[in-house]
Amino acid sequence: MSAAVAPPITRVNPATVRAATDEPLGVKILLVTVSVLFLGLFLVVPLAAVFGEGLRKGLGAYWASVTDPAALAAIKLTLITAGIAVPLNLVFGVAAAWAIAKFNFRGKSVLITLIDLPFAVSPVISGLIYVLLFGMQGWLGPWLQSHGIQIIFAVPGIVLATIFVTFPFVARELIPLMQAQGTDEEYAALTLGASGWQTFWRVTLPNIKWGVLYGVILCNARAMGEFGAVSVVSGHIRGKTNTVPLHVEILYNEYNFVAAFAVASLLTLLALVTLVVKTIVEHRLQLELKESTQTPSGEA
Amino acid sequence: MSLVARKRNVLPGFGPTLGFTLFYLGVIVLLPLSALFLKSAGLGWSQFWKIVTEPRVVASYKLTFGASLIAALINAVFGLMVAWTLVRYRFPGKKVIDALVDLPFALPTAVSGIALTAIYAPNGWIGQYLEPLGIKVAFTPLGITIALIFVGLPFVVRTLQPAIAELEKEHEEAAASLGATRFHAFTRVILPAILPALLTGFAMAFARALGEYGSVVFIAGNMPMKTEITSLLIVTKLEQYDYPGATAIATVMLMASFVLLLTINMLQYWAGHRHQGVA
Amino acid sequence: MSIEVKHISKTFGNFTALHDVSLRVNDGELVALLGPSGSGKTTLLRIIAGLEVADPNPASEILFDDSSVTERPVGQRRVGFVFQHYALFRHMTVFENIAFGLRVRPRALRPSKAEIRDRVHQLLKLVQLENFGGRYPSQLSGGQRQRVALARALAVEPKVLLLDEPFGALDAKVRQGLRDWLRKLHDEIHLTSVLVTHDQEEALEVADRIVVMNQGRIEQDGTPEHVFHQPANPFVMEFLGQVNVFQGRVRRGQALLGEMAIEYPNYEADQEREAMVYMRPHELDIKRSRNGVASLAARVVRVNPAGSVAKVNLRAGDGQNIYVDLPLERLQELQLAHGDEVYVYPKNARVFVPDYVI
């Protein structure tokens, strides 16, 4: 280096010197500002809109909309639907993760892809396939009708469509977690004389409890909020086959905006609670995963 | 698929759990999905082709794919910025913002739909200021795109965050010590390293947008040939008891989703295996 | 090009990595910064490179060839930096990695494609990886990756070469080979180099000069011979090789260790003071009988003749362990066995009086 190109000796001004892997301060401020504005516009404004519109005519109107008999019936149906879909998918998720994570068999990766499949199917099509199967013109429709069983435009159809769209949630959380944890602890339990069930309840389940909870939370949020699939199979019979999201749609289409947003705000609160619990559980889940990957995994 | 575990394994429960998994998967997912394909196959090729190439249907494809593509591109750009900001910088409110990124996952789509409409309608929160400028958002393709940006955003951010967090500082330091500007370090060292994650996030946002229904129907206006997305067209056909029409269009959309799913899987395989040729 | 740092301090939160460090590296020298982890050696290297910024202090300065580069960003300092974990760009081939520094130059200064190709091939030859240009880093062994990292650093024709624990991640045999190779390379190109290491053997073998660091300060700065044979303080003594430490006293030009007395002309006072006596294993001899001269009685615990010298472990009466390296022929003469009562004689010893400055 020649002295000619060297800058004159100056004293260090800490504001002008930065670490090699830092962006200039201006770029940083710009990036943070753009990100915050973008998220504010796309996430915070809609949130505010729901509550703002719902409370437009005051708390009285809000309360009346939420406690309207049709609204209460919708809430009841949504709770029933989630109450059936979530436990079923939980049992499935645990069983699938046990088989996939603890054993080796051919076709495992195909099975994992198939379990994820419902995520790739659009909500409307998820409803449509059940109409094609159980509807009046569907494969099983005539048989079902002759036996007096109604699935489409009735509660069973809503439950089935909800199970379909929430199918992968628990399984896809548990499979990687249990794969990372391996089989060493289960083998240890067996050598100590535990039975299969004891091993599962006392060794496996405590190791995956945060993963289970995480999957259940996401599954529940989607089950209570599903719109497209349920809309196709429900028939929109007020007080009978309306879930909360469908009730919101009906109120909105009737230009009863305050009521629509009031009921929608309940779902929004559910979403916010889900986010808070999810953030907390996520932290515990990461610890669970980290602990398990510190020890080498077994043969699974 | 073999029902026998290849390696003898003393852990119990393989038969029952795998059996239940396959049964449940078959009843809930595979059987209903095959109903769609069989019904569609029953239409015959010429009838199928006639339905799926009707001008109104083709217009809905163009709108759905076009708006989804633009939304995914916008999400790729802003999602990268948001993910970078959330991983690399510290600023007040960061934790809340980070948690909020998942809002579109958690918020029922019908709620997002009516909320976005309330904001962008001509007399809405933001719409009333755009109206005098001649910008119409609600009930136009622009409104559809905004709804699709909303639902796709978490996919890009959440796929990129771990990839950015895993970047080793040493690589950027090496680039800097070799004389690269920060811009060069970004385009030549950082971007190539996170490219698979960026493409995966983009593809996932695009796939989600293609099938989106709830958040779009309220803001779209649903004018045939103009603002009617394909998902809505399927619902419309169903409501008119036009099952063959609904089935055929659904089959086209489902094939598109599967192609994207395959692409995403290949991207992830590529991300894990690239630059590891035979040693 | 010479390097000089003046009054450099660096704190991370409430941890002080460097306390007012000043150091000069002469043109063409290979200096090793040696110290345990947390001694501040890597921080000092990173500050020289410009990867880290020293705490603001008007007196602190970094000079290359006596002109300040304190405010110059890393990319403009013309330093070649070799990272401990290589930091090779994994999405680029070996060729592209080495060419990177040339390709990111502003257009006016960028060599032509042909020049870049020639330069990279020249460097591949230098690091003995001629046929590896098309490979990706994941297809190379650790030693090969480190040589690519070195070639990449040299490609920009740096004025100084900075190496951060360059062989730390490699196994012992590869490390020895690369060490010899680096020394040979330095003798060929004479690039001013600073090497950070915690391995005293590596520093002693490769460097022209060793700077021993501890807790953010320089403990001693000198040739390998000097720091090994004339350690400035107990820390340097203990850090460079194995050593026996005894608690003793000093008085009237003598250090007293039990019944043993060692000349210590540095302390002539009558008042007795606590002192530490240091003896390296090879500076001790063992005798079967006490022949008048003061010695330490000890019992043989273990004899290990596997090696170029025999390693003898003894225990003194007060329970202290003593390690002695004996030439094999001397062991032959003595015929030591477990439990034997013997006498240990110092051939050389160093005395340090705590808190005593001459």
Side-chain angles (χ1 to χ4, degrees), chain B residues 49-61 237 242 249:
Chain B
W49 189 250
K50 198 169 148 264
I51 294 169
V52 301
T53 55
E54 250 178 72
R56 184 175 168 192
V57 181
V58 172
S60 84
Y61 298 151
K237 299 245 173 210
D242 177 7
I249 302 168

Side-chain angles (χ1 to χ4, degrees), chain A residues 23 53 89 130 187 278, chain B residues 9 24 28 89 102 125 182:
Chain A
E23 283 76 40
E53 294 289 319
N89 282 335
Y130 287 99
Y187 281 132
K278 178 181 164 291
Chain B
N9 194 327
Y24 192 73
I28 298 291
Y89 304 148
D102 281 326
W125 290 30
R182 194 66 192 136

Side-chain angles (χ1 to χ4, degrees), chain C residues 108-327:
Chain C
L109 301 173
R110 196 182 307 160
S112 72
K113 278 196 173 145
E115 282 168 328
I116 291 179
R117 201 183 48 231
D118 289 349
R119 179 95 188 104
V120 173
H121 281 301
Q122 218 179 314
L123 283 160
L124 282 171
K125 208 166 158 189
L126 183 74
V127 299
Q128 297 156 2
L129 289 169
E130 282 112 313
N131 300 319
F132 290 74
R135 298 231 187 153
Y136 284 100
S138 61
Q139 297 166 289
L140 302 179
S141 72
Q144 289 169 333
R145 284 181 209 181
Q146 193 53 283
R147 296 203 316 259
V148 174
L150 193 62
R152 183 178 71 178
L154 291 174
V156 295
E157 292 171 330
K159 302 294 185 185
V160 299
L161 187 60
L162 307 174
L163 306 109
D164 182 12
E165 300 264 8
F167 313 129
L170 302 168
D171 60 57
K173 196 149 187 191
V174 179
R175 196 150 68 199
Q176 180 65 48
L178 269 183
R179 209 187 272 169
D180 297 345
W181 178 80
L182 177 69
R183 182 65 230 185
K184 229 175 75 204
L185 185 77
H186 185 261
D187 290 341
E188 277 169 32
I189 60 178
H190 277 296
L191 189 58
T192 310
S193 307
V194 182
L195 168 96
V196 157
T197 180
H198 65 268
D199 179 348
Q200 39 103 3
E201 224 175 283
E202 187 168 294
L204 291 170
E205 217 169 289
V206 174
D208 297 321
R209 220 173 85 207
I210 294 180
V211 175
V212 184
M213 295 189 65
N214 183 35
Q215 295 181 343
R217 292 191 169 86
I218 292 177
E219 298 279 354
Q220 192 175 6
D221 177 350
T223 62
E225 194 191 354
H226 187 80
V227 293
F228 187 80
H229 291 293
Q230 272 120 49
N233 54 41
F235 174 81
V236 177
M237 181 88 204
E238 284 186 69
F239 196 73
L240 287 160
Q242 206 183 13
V243 71
N244 295 296
V245 186
F246 300 92
Q247 183 83 46
R249 288 160 290 132
V250 284
R251 183 165 48 106
R252 288 190 217 117
Q254 279 196 319
L256 306 168
L257 195 62
E259 41 197 280
M260 224 160 59
I262 296 153
E263 292 298 315
Y264 188 60
N266 288 340
Y267 189 86
E268 294 288 358
D270 283 344
Q271 194 201 353
E272 202 168 86
R273 284 180 72 104
E274 296 272 310
M276 307 297 282
V277 181
Y278 289 77
M279 286 170 259
R280 294 212 186 272
H282 70 272
E283 294 170 339
L284 292 171
D285 192 14
I286 294 174
K287 284 184 178 153
R288 276 280 178 193
S289 59
R290 170 187 301 229
N291 56 0
V293 192
S295 62
L296 270 174
R299 198 180 285 277
V300 176
V301 177
R302 190 178 137 80
V303 179
N304 179 6
S308 52
V309 291
K311 301 214 170 278
V312 184
N313 182 3
L314 308 103
R315 191 156 298 151
D318 59 1
Q320 180 169 12
N321 273 312
I322 305 171
Y323 299 93
V324 179
D325 288 353
L326 281 185

Side-chain angles (χ1 to χ4, degrees), chain C residues 1-65:
Chain C
M1 187 167 71
S2 68
I3 306 169
E4 189 161 11
V5 296
K6 290 179 180 168
H7 305 292
I8 297 290
S9 296
K10 178 74 183 177
T11 50
F12 296 101
N14 44 23
F15 173 73
T16 306
L18 291 172
H19 291 275
D20 192 29
V21 168
S22 298
L23 173 70
R24 187 180 167 85
V25 178
N26 295 318
D27 186 33
E29 235 184 346
L30 198 174
V31 169
L33 301 180
L34 174 67
S37 60
S39 60
K41 55 193 192 304
T42 293
T43 306
L44 181 58
L45 191 79
R46 289 169 62 88
I47 287 175
I48 293 173
L51 291 171
E52 213 85 65
V53 183
D55 291 346
N57 169 6
S60 84
E61 228 177 336
I62 301 158
L63 305 161
F64 284 1
D65 262 351

